[in-house]
Amino acid sequence: MKENGKNTSTAVKAISLMLGLTGSYFAANMGIMIAALQKNIKKMEQHKSENNFMESFVMQKEEFVLKPDLQNVYITTLSSNVNIKVPKPEKGTMNVELLSVASCVNIVLPFDVRINCKGSNHLDFTGGEKESDKVINLVINDHLTSLTINFDGDL
């Protein structure tokens, strides 16, 4: 009988531990999301006269296409798989800021624009059309993220 009680006790402890870890992981994601939202709202307030946009993904798989008339874009991905398509900006410059934690993110950019990418551990670069009057400024803050950038001439 003790043997059976010991197994039950061990199983209950294991289940409790798993639920605690899952709850902690979810709470951490929500805490990061709330902090990122507050920070992005302050940034948007600094650019009130411009066309701003903010999007957040938590534990999602999404394909997302930005609108070409946007000027300032703030994207947060937490534990998500997100494919983001950035079109050629209509208004000269589009600023895109990405905060990504424990995610898989693919960013698709157009060919015929100037790209300035800063912030990522692996993808700091400037490239694209040197003579282009259209510019995309990417600021990437990635942690535990699989991040790729692709170029597509059809955007």
Side-chain angles (χ1 to χ4, degrees):
M1 283 294 218
K2 282 187 175 179
E3 195 65 38
N4 192 15
K6 203 178 228 184
N7 288 340
T8 303
S9 177
T10 304
V12 168
K13 286 180 184 177
I15 291 170
S16 296
L17 178 63
M18 290 296 289
L19 289 174
L21 291 173
T22 303
S24 297
Y25 183 74
F26 183 76
N29 273 290
M30 291 300 103
I32 293 169
M33 182 60 63
I34 290 168
L37 289 173
Q38 290 174 342
K39 186 176 181 181
N40 290 339
I41 288 169
K42 287 180 183 176
K43 289 178 186 177
M44 290 174 67
E45 288 174 354
Q46 295 173 353
H47 302 280
K48 284 182 182 180
S49 63
E50 297 177 13
N51 193 2
N52 299 309
F53 181 77
M54 179 173 42
E55 185 69 46
S56 300
F57 302 97
V58 180
M59 299 179 210
Q60 293 176 290
K61 182 175 183 180
E62 292 289 332
E63 184 161 321
F64 190 72
V65 180
L66 297 175
K67 296 186 190 281
D69 65 337
L70 295 172
Q71 291 172 291
N72 300 296
V73 178
Y74 307 96
I75 300 172
T76 304
T77 67
L78 302 173
S79 305
S80 296
N81 184 341
V82 182
N83 189 36
I84 302 166
K85 293 185 178 182
V86 182
K88 183 176 182 178
E90 285 180 0
K91 299 185 179 183
T93 300
M94 181 184 293
N95 301 303
V96 179
E97 290 190 27
L98 170 69
L99 169 63
S100 180
V101 179
S103 295
C104 181
V105 178
N106 180 46
I107 301 172
V108 182
L109 299 166
F111 280 123
D112 55 350
V113 299
R114 181 122 174 104
I115 308 291
N116 300 314
C117 183
K118 300 283 182 230
S120 173
N121 296 329
H122 308 289
L123 295 171
D124 283 354
F125 69 91
T126 297
E129 295 287 323
K130 295 183 194 271
E131 301 298 321
S132 177
D133 61 340
K134 307 295 182 180
V135 177
I136 296 174
N137 295 313
L138 287 174
V139 176
I140 300 172
N141 189 355
D142 59 326
H143 306 279
L144 302 171
T145 294
S146 172
L147 177 66
T148 58
I149 293 182
N150 294 305
F151 294 89
D152 184 356
D154 295 334
L155 291 176

